[in-house]
Every structure is written in C-alpha cells, then in structure tokens.
Amino acid sequence: DVIRVIDEFGHGESFLMNVGDEKGAILDGAIARAKPARILELGAYCGYSALRMSVAAPSARIVSVEWSPANADIAR
C-alpha cells in the first residue's frame, strides 16, 4: 500500500524523481525474472524502488546506498 500512496502523491501532489508506476512495472518484471539473492541500489531517494524490489524479490537482501543524508533519512 505504501507504493500506491507514493504513486498517488507523485501523480497528484508533487513531482517525485522516483521510478513511478509505469517504469516500476518494468523493474518488477526484470527483478522477478532474475530472481536475485542480493540487490545493490545506488541512490535510494525516498526508498520507492527498494520497496518495489522487495515485493518482486521477497527473499533478496537489498542494500541501498544514498549520498544525500536527507534522502537517506526519508528512505529509512
């Protein structure tokens, strides 16, 4: 449900530089096909992609690296 809320906010309230629902569906499919055990995300922003990847690969260990302390706080 968090993914849906972020998508709605990005469409109706404020621009977000996240993957979004359309590209997110492509990411979901790629992750599901790859069935990774580990994922390294470079740039977490608000944590949206990590959430999507955790749904697509629930057993994978996801590590996100974020340069901006403010974005890292939001993602956490």
Side-chain angles (χ1 to χ4, degrees), residues 6-74:
I6 294 172
D7 284 337
E8 287 178 1
F9 183 83
H11 284 293
E13 298 294 323
S14 179
F15 170 78
L16 297 174
M17 59 177 196
N18 63 325
V19 170
D21 55 345
E22 293 178 24
K23 291 180 195 167
I26 297 168
L27 174 63
D28 297 345
I31 295 293
R33 284 188 302 279
K35 297 178 179 69
R38 292 178 303 277
I39 299 171
L40 173 61
E41 177 183 46
L42 302 177
Y45 185 46
C46 67
Y48 179 88
S49 295
L51 287 171
R52 289 198 79 111
M53 291 186 288
S54 70
V55 171
S59 62
R61 174 163 167 80
I62 301 171
V63 175
S64 294
V65 178
E66 175 55 55
W67 177 259
S68 163
N71 289 348
D73 285 343
I74 291 168

